[in-house]
Each structure stands twice: as structure tokens, then as C-alpha cells.
Amino acid sequence: MRPNELNPLFASVESLTGVGPRMVVLMKKALALPPGVTEPRVVDLVWHMPTGVKDRRAEPSVAEAQPGTIATLKVRVLKHRFAPRGNARAPHKVQTEDDSGRLDLVFFSIDPAYIARQLPEGSERYVSGQIERYNDTAQMVHPDYIVPPERRDELPMLEPVYPLTAGLSGKVLGKAVRQAVQVVPELPEWLDPAFQEAKGWPDFASAVLRIHRAVDTADISTGGAPWQRLAYDELLARQLALGLVRLNLRTQKGRQIAGDGRIRRRIADALPFTLTGSQKSALEEIAADLAAPHRMMRLLQGDVGSGKTMVALMAMANAVECGTQAALMAPTEVLARQHAESMAPLAEKAGLRLGLLTGREKGRARTLLLTKLAAGEVDILIGTHALFSPDVVFADLSLVVVDEQHRFGVGQRMALQGKGQGTNVLAMTATPIPRTLLMTHYGDLDVSRLTEKPPGRKPIKTTMPSISRLQDVVDGLKRAVSAGAQIYWVCPLIETTETSELAAAEARHAHLIQMLGQTVGLLHGGMKAAEKDTVMAEFAAGRLNVLVATTVIEVGVNVPNATIMVIEHAERFGLAQLHQLRGRVGRGDRQSFCLLLHEEPLGKTAEARLKMMTETEDGFLIAEKDLELRGGGEVLGARQSGMPEFRVANVPGFEELLATARDDAKLVLSQDPELATPRGQALRSLLYLFECDEAVRLFRAA
Ligand code: ADP
Ligand code: MG
């Protein structure tokens, strides 16, 4: 259980004054919430780090105030000049002065009664905002702050500037953050005292306070002591959590699986190809892991098209040879169906009984499937999130394979594991993760890599035409289509709203129908699963020549006949994502192409990224480069690739902090594996603060 004193931090932001349902919606957009969290909480405000400060510390006289600067001035209110009725555009002006000169405060479209209350004639006020000059008079349009002298304390002289979203003002968000900071309790120190002193770091609560209520611009620098301290805390929490999970796994007994190979042999005999060297060695590693007494927790990394599915099938066949069951979980319905379909012929020849369970299997058919599953008459169950459902009961589940594992939360994976005893887990990912990052995010997890592609693949020809050449591109596609080619056209990623993303895809769809004829299909995230399946099936069957899609096709779809990938606004995608998208083509034996359409001019980084894509297809290389271009701890466009993202740790000196945190965590766990000492107890709070609860729970269960 989370310590009580931390509970207020994990309450909804609605628990703060002035935050209502409308604000919650806006904050949800502005704050980076961790995976699985849908409602912003107070703690998410604490981690909403400022990008800079507005410095209001200059307090000149009116005469000294420099136009174009931000200043705080003490003035006397002289008189109000109301905007004439019926003229909405005329401003409401308030004349003020100090001993040195006159300052007009100017307001547009404002309630005059309200402004009269804020600035009573004859009163003294502090006003803070941008100084301008209009004709010969100094003025301030819509001061950021107006406070009476007795409330001068409320003026944030160094006001943090936060990432915002349309409709959410910095002032309102700042107010909420200030409250959030007050909720942070005094916590026992979890840092090693000598280390903390050597670094000159403040305690946790002060660090938070100094970031959000800076008294010095250095306070909010990512290289400054407060930020560095919090970055270290986050890294330490992660490393500690990874270490705990690891300790726990090592001591957990797993179902030992060592089949006699009869089903795997039958599958191999039925295959039209032989396994690649990478596939073979991955299977050996997996088989050794499954045969060992501990529970397997292995990550299978392989680029799109490297043949992970075959490895999964073989591993599952091993489980079935021992008379147990296996489950394969895919993140989308399309993918689950595709797995089921591609495995069905092999399964039949090998005598494997497959079942498919998604949200669409309902009623009698579902009941029947579940009855068979519970009776052990289904060997391998393939499906989506539907597999988590409590009424899905296995006779004896010994292996769970999670495809595109980053699409699932830890809790979800655990729920599935819980359906068996000592269930082994094989997690698969097509995101090539550089080694350093693997260490950061997964610790020393067991990893198998498919570095080889199945033979006979031609390299994909990648070019980067400017959007101004759209007409040429479309003409080229026309010729390709009449020669029988199938084409993916991926539409721009638009961050602001889902609807505009859809509109762009729809417009492009209409345009391409006009240019290329009726066999242009459309696939987008707003469609129902059944509709998506239909479109996908039409495309796979070759009845559609072109598939216009938003990024929903990103994950694992396999249409070997598709040979052209057009990515519109390629400059808006991350390298990892471009790589994934491109991997949709080049799956058959014909020459494939990838066109990175982009807007001119390109920024330096964007250009380097696109160029990289034209030069190599090696996913691991691309991932390393991506990391280099993004720099530091910002991971692979973590949110896109689903890797847990750092909230504060993306700072200068990341590598060094990480290395220290790793050593620190190791030492702690070797000396105090129960986290029972006073420092250990303090570290538990740290784990909760950074929401590594999972690790704590594992640890308590042990
Ligand atoms: P991914 O790793 O992206 O999941 P898939 O498992 O979908 O890749 O494999 C891509 C394609 O390669 C499939 O059509 C599969 O049948 C084929 N394939 C897998 N292994 C081999 C192999 N050893 N030789 C030739 N083709 C293979
Ligand atoms: Mg796959």
C-alpha cells in the first residue's frame, strides 16, 4: 500500500481549488501522463516541468520602464475611460501614474464592472506585464497581474513558463501547480548523505519547490541542483524497480517446459522455407530458458519482417508438446486475426488446435471456445485484450507470448500471466532498442535478437521527394498501379486533434480516387474493428490497389504484395516510426519503394533524419542514430514507441547520473534487499512517488 502521506499527490487534480471538469480535460492534453493513467492527478502537475521563466523582477519607475520588457510597477489609479457602448473594438483604458510619469492600462472586450473592482480610482496597485509605448504614453495591455500593495507576495517575480494547450492559460495552470507543490510532503531522505552533500543537492521537497517557485533563474535550469536532484531520483527509482523485479524473477519458479520436438518438426516440415540463423539461435535461447526452473521473462527483438511470428509459434509448439497451453496476445484485432490466419495452415498440418478470441467473438461461439479452452481442447489461444477477461480460463497455461509488447501495460501482462502457474513470458517487439536504453528501461532483462532477415529480400529503395512534386509522384503511382503494384499511403500525423488527422486522410483519399480510380481504400483509427478488418482484407486480397491510412497500420500488418509506401509529411514522424512504417513493404521478392514526402524547407534535424532513412534499413543503426539526434535521455520518441518515458530525467549529464543510479541501486539491493533499513524505507516512498508500485508489490509478494 502506498504510504498515506502520499495519497493527496495521487488524488485527481479536481481536488485542487479552481480545477473543475473542464480544466481536467485541458490538463489531460497539456500534461504528459504515464501509460495507463487517464485522469491527471496532482502528482502529474508536480512533474510538469517549466520550460523557462518570465522574469518580473525589474521594478522600474514608469519613466524608466523600457518598451518590450516585462516589468512590475507600483502605480496610482487615476481614472477609467470606458469603451463607448456598441463599439466592441474600442479598448477600456485606465490611466495610472507614479511620480515619474503616466502609464495607461488597456483592456479589450472586458467586463468594465470587473475591471473597476480590480482598479478602483484613487487606489494603489502593483501591475506586472509587458511595457509598450503608444503615441507618447507608456502602456500595458492586459497586465498579467494586478494586486493591491498588501498582497504583493502573490506576484510570482520569477514565473515559471509551462507547456500549455489551447484554452489553458499559463496563469491558471501555474496556480494549480503552485497548489500541487504544497501537497508534496516532507519525506525522509533516501539519498546517501555523503553523496547528496558532495553534489550540493537540496532535499526532495525543496527541489520541487525551487523548480516551480524559482527564486533564481538557475533554479529551473536542467543543469541546476534542484532539477539534477529530481532527475537522479527518477533514475534511481527506475533502476531500483528494475533491480527488484529482477530479484523477484530470479527467485520465482516457472513451469518447466521441454517438449520432445515432435510438433515443431512437423511445423518445420510444412514450412516453405528454412529458419534463419537468428531464428534458430533465438529458439535455442528460448528453449533453454523454458527448460530451466526459473520463470522465463524474455524479450524477442526483431525488425519488422524478421520473422518473429515463426519464433513465437515454435516456442508455443514446445509448450503444447508438453501437454500445456500457450496464449498469443496482439494489440489489435487486425493483428490477432492475421496471426490466426497465417498460423492456421501450419497448425492444421502439425495437429495444433488454435482458438481466436477478440472483442468480436460473442455469444454461443465464445462460450463454446471458452469451454474447450477450460477443458484443454484448445492448444493455443490467439487474441487481443479480450484474453484478460476473467471468464477466460485455461486448463493449463504455461507460456504467454505478447506481440508488440509495448502496447500493453505492465498490469495487463501480469493479468494474463496470472491465468497460469509460473507462466513463462515471451515479449516481442519490433522496436529496435539500443543497448544503453535496454539497460535503462529493462535492466538486464534476457534478450534475443533477430538480426538477420529472411533471405531473398531486396533492399527497399527510399527517396525523399518534396511535396511540391506531388503531381509527379501521383503520376508515377498511376503507372505502378497499372502494372499491378499495391501501395500504402500514410497520412500526416497531426498532433492537435484526431478529427483534423482524419480530415486530412479523407481529403487525400478523395484526391487519390480522382487520380487513380475507385480502388483506393481508407483506413483510420475512428473506424470500427469490423470495418477495419474488411478494408484490410480487401487490400490483402488485392481488390484495393491503394490503402490510404492514418498511422493505424503502424503495427505488424503483413501484405507481401504491397511494394510502395508513401509517407506524407514524413518530417513529422520520428525515425523509429518511419522505420516501422517502411517495414510494411519489402516483404515479398519484388523491388519495393518508400517515398518520404515532405514540406520544404526542412529543419536540420528533420533533414538528417530523412536522409538517414534513405541510407540504411538497419533498424538497430537507425535507433542508435535516432537517439543521437534526439540526444540525452529522450528515448526514441518514447511515447510513440511505448517505452516508459522519463518525466524529469532528460537532462545534461544523463548518462553519468544513470550510471551512478545504477550502481547505487545495485549496492542498495545487495545490502538491503528487503528495503528494511531506514534508507530502504525511505526508498520505498521514492518508488511510490515515481509510480514503480509494481516493483514494490512484486517485492512484497516475495
Ligand atoms: P515480424 O517479425 O515483423 O513479425 P513476420 O513474422 O510477420 O515478421 O514475418 C514476415 C514474413 O516473413 C512472413 O510472411 C513469414 O512467413 C516470413 N518468414 C518468416 N521466417 C522466414 C524465413 N526463415 N524464411 C523466409 N521467410 C520467412
Ligand atoms: Mg509481427
Side-chain angles (χ1 to χ4, degrees):
M1 283 277 282
R2 179 192 298 139
N4 280 337
E5 52 185 348
L6 293 182
N7 283 342
L9 274 176
F10 289 89
S12 160
V13 286
E14 275 200 83
S15 62
L16 303 173
T17 15
V19 180
R22 208 181 70 85
M23 278 275 283
V24 172
V25 174
L26 293 172
M27 283 188 184
K28 201 167 150 177
K29 278 194 199 149
L31 307 180
L33 303 180
V37 173
T38 51
E39 290 289 299
R41 302 143 314 162
V42 174
V43 73
D44 298 310
L45 287 169
V46 173
W47 301 139
H48 194 59
M49 307 298 269
T51 52
V53 281
K54 248 190 197 164
D55 193 340
R56 308 188 177 283
R57 288 175 300 182
E59 296 189 69
S61 67
V62 169
E64 291 161 351
Q66 289 297 317
T69 64
I70 291 174
T72 301
L73 300 101
K74 189 179 186 187
V75 293
R76 289 184 294 275
V77 179
L78 297 177
K79 74 176 210 274
H80 285 243
R81 290 212 344 251
F82 293 85
R85 259 180 213 289
N87 185 352
R89 257 178 296 164
H92 176 119
K93 280 197 183 184
V94 183
Q95 283 178 9
T96 71
E97 63 165 22
D98 69 3
D99 294 339
S100 73
R102 201 180 103 187
L103 176 75
D104 282 350
L105 307 178
V106 182
F107 302 88
F108 293 92
S109 323
I110 199 148
D111 172 15
Y114 168 79
I115 218 65
R117 275 199 306 278
Q118 293 286 305
L119 294 159
E121 287 178 4
S123 68
E124 276 193 322
R125 287 292 182 268
Y126 279 97
V127 294
S128 185
Q130 170 115 9
I131 302 290
E132 291 171 15
R133 192 156 284 278
Y134 184 72
N135 294 334
D136 258 343
T137 315
Q139 68 171 31
M140 192 182 280
V141 181
H142 288 264
D144 301 326
Y145 291 90
I146 301 172
V147 297
E150 66 274 15
R151 279 172 40 207
R152 187 179 180 285
D153 284 357
E154 290 172 23
L155 273 176
M157 298 310 269
L158 273 177
E159 187 180 11
V161 176
Y162 294 105
L164 298 171
T165 193
L168 184 63
S169 77
K171 201 164 160 182
V172 169
L173 183 63
K175 220 163 138 185
V177 174
R178 276 203 297 283
Q179 289 182 64
V181 167
Q182 275 162 8
V183 173
V184 175
E186 291 280 336
L187 294 165
E189 184 55 70
W190 49 75
L191 292 184
D192 174 66
F195 174 66
Q196 185 189 3
E197 200 183 312
K199 288 284 188 185
W201 286 345
D203 64 81
F204 176 79
S206 316
V208 169
L209 196 70
R210 276 172 59 187
I211 295 255
H212 291 294
R213 312 197 67 166
V215 289
D216 188 324
T217 44
D219 286 347
I220 63 130
S221 144
T222 51
W227 202 314
Q228 289 274 314
R229 144 117 220 188
L230 297 182
Y232 186 81
D233 285 340
E234 180 169 36
L235 292 170
L236 181 60
R238 285 282 179 87
Q239 291 302 313
L240 205 56
L242 287 169
L244 284 168
V245 171
R246 193 79 201 148
L247 267 183
N248 185 267
L249 275 176
R250 287 255 159 80
T251 53
Q252 265 184 35
K253 277 212 169 40
R255 279 300 293 274
Q256 280 179 265
I257 296 171
D260 57 11
R262 62 180 198 284
I263 302 180
R264 281 172 282 174
R265 263 193 303 280
R266 269 182 257 154
I267 295 174
D269 290 343
L271 281 179
F273 47 74
T274 54
L275 297 179
T276 64
S278 285
Q279 284 171 320
K280 280 185 197 147
S281 48
L283 279 169
E284 272 162 32
E285 287 162 358
I286 292 167
D289 236 0
L290 287 175
H294 63 258
R295 207 156 67 83
M296 177 172 86
M297 181 70 216
R298 180 170 284 274
L299 184 68
L300 176 63
Q301 262 192 302
D303 236 325
V304 272
S306 58
K308 292 186 292 296
T309 317
M310 192 45 62
V311 175
L313 180 62
M314 287 293 203
M316 293 192 291
N318 187 354
V320 178
E321 285 165 13
C322 299
T324 64
Q325 293 166 302
L328 170 61
M329 186 166 67
T332 65
E333 185 155 346
V334 175
L335 215 69
R337 281 182 195 283
Q338 189 164 330
H339 280 317
E341 276 159 29
S342 69
M343 287 181 181
L346 288 170
E348 186 159 352
K349 287 189 185 133
L352 283 172
R353 294 163 298 179
L354 295 187
L356 175 66
L357 183 67
T358 71
R360 267 169 70 196
E361 274 66 44
K362 290 200 180 94
R364 292 261 308 273
R366 184 173 187 276
T367 315
L368 189 66
L369 176 66
L370 293 185
T371 311
K372 282 183 166 174
L373 185 72
E377 289 159 22
V378 170
D379 298 317
I380 294 177
L381 184 62
I382 299 171
T384 54
H385 297 77
L387 299 190
F388 303 136
S389 167
D391 61 346
V392 176
V393 178
F394 291 80
D396 187 4
L397 177 69
S398 70
L399 172 64
V400 169
V401 180
V402 186
D403 196 12
E404 311 291 347
Q405 58 89 27
H406 62 262
R407 297 278 171 133
F408 298 93
V410 182
Q412 295 179 313
R413 272 178 275 164
M414 297 256 225
L416 193 50
Q417 267 160 262
K419 290 183 184 286
Q421 285 275 313
T423 309
N424 298 286
V425 178
L426 179 66
M428 308 202 288
T429 178
T431 311
I433 309 168
R435 288 222 184 267
T436 46
L437 290 183
L438 265 182
M439 278 304 268
T440 318
H441 291 280
Y442 296 99
D444 49 350
L445 183 80
D446 298 313
V447 177
S448 297
R449 284 180 151 195
L450 300 182
T451 49
E452 236 175 306
K453 287 220 171 147
R457 300 270 162 86
K458 289 207 179 80
I460 301 166
K461 285 198 178 136
T462 303
T463 53
M464 38 186 290
S466 145
I467 190 82
S468 60
R469 289 185 42 214
L470 183 65
Q471 194 53 48
D472 296 345
V473 169
V474 174
D475 288 343
L477 295 183
K478 215 173 193 168
R479 287 190 295 274
V481 165
S482 37
Q486 282 187 284
I487 300 167
Y488 289 109
W489 186 298
V490 178
C491 274
L493 188 71
I494 297 168
E495 284 199 338
T496 43
T497 65
E498 251 166 64
T499 44
S500 53
E501 185 163 330
L502 177 58
E506 277 173 342
R508 184 58 73 211
H509 177 231
H511 167 231
L512 290 176
I513 283 184
Q514 219 171 44
M515 305 300 296
L516 304 171
Q518 284 301 324
T519 55
V520 180
L522 177 64
L523 193 67
H524 61 79
M527 287 163 71
K528 292 214 179 72
E531 295 169 340
K532 279 191 221 168
D533 288 355
T534 312
V535 175
M536 239 6 262
E538 292 276 294
F539 187 62
R543 285 191 290 275
L544 290 174
N545 293 320
V546 183
L547 187 63
V548 176
T550 52
T551 45
V552 289
I553 62 159
E554 186 195 343
V555 169
V557 179
N558 189 21
V559 181
N561 193 47
T563 53
I564 301 179
M565 166 65 64
V566 182
I567 303 172
E568 198 171 332
H569 275 301
E571 76 278 9
R572 294 189 193 163
F573 292 83
L575 260 183
Q577 216 180 359
L578 288 174
H579 177 66
Q580 296 258 345
L581 287 169
R582 180 170 61 180
R584 303 296 115 220
V585 298
R587 302 192 142 212
D589 40 21
R590 273 183 297 151
Q591 178 63 56
S592 289
F593 301 88
C594 175
L595 283 73
L596 304 173
L597 277 177
H598 63 272
E599 202 88 62
E600 299 273 13
L602 280 176
K604 233 182 174 169
T605 314
E607 171 144 26
R609 266 197 274 144
L610 297 191
K611 223 155 145 250
M612 174 87 192
M613 289 296 295
T614 65
E615 286 161 4
T616 183
E617 265 183 71
D618 181 332
F620 288 103
L621 204 70
I622 290 175
E624 304 276 357
K625 182 75 178 178
D626 195 28
L627 188 63
E628 185 190 311
L629 287 174
R630 287 165 186 278
E634 197 201 329
V635 177
L636 270 176
R639 227 172 309 162
Q640 288 164 18
S641 64
M643 299 261 290
E645 205 169 6
F646 289 117
R647 313 194 87 178
V648 294
N650 302 312
V651 296
F654 171 83
E655 308 280 333
E656 199 195 313
L657 289 176
L658 173 63
T660 315
R662 195 169 351 180
D663 292 347
D664 198 355
K666 246 191 199 144
L667 192 69
V668 166
L669 290 179
S670 70
Q671 294 175 344
D672 181 19
E674 309 269 299
L675 297 186
T677 62
R679 184 174 179 212
Q681 294 285 346
L683 283 163
R684 289 177 185 222
S685 301
L686 172 70
L687 287 170
Y688 278 110
L689 259 179
F690 282 97
E691 299 176 69
C692 302
D693 310 27
E694 209 68 64
V696 184
R697 220 174 308 141
L698 269 179
F699 157 83
R700 283 165 45 99

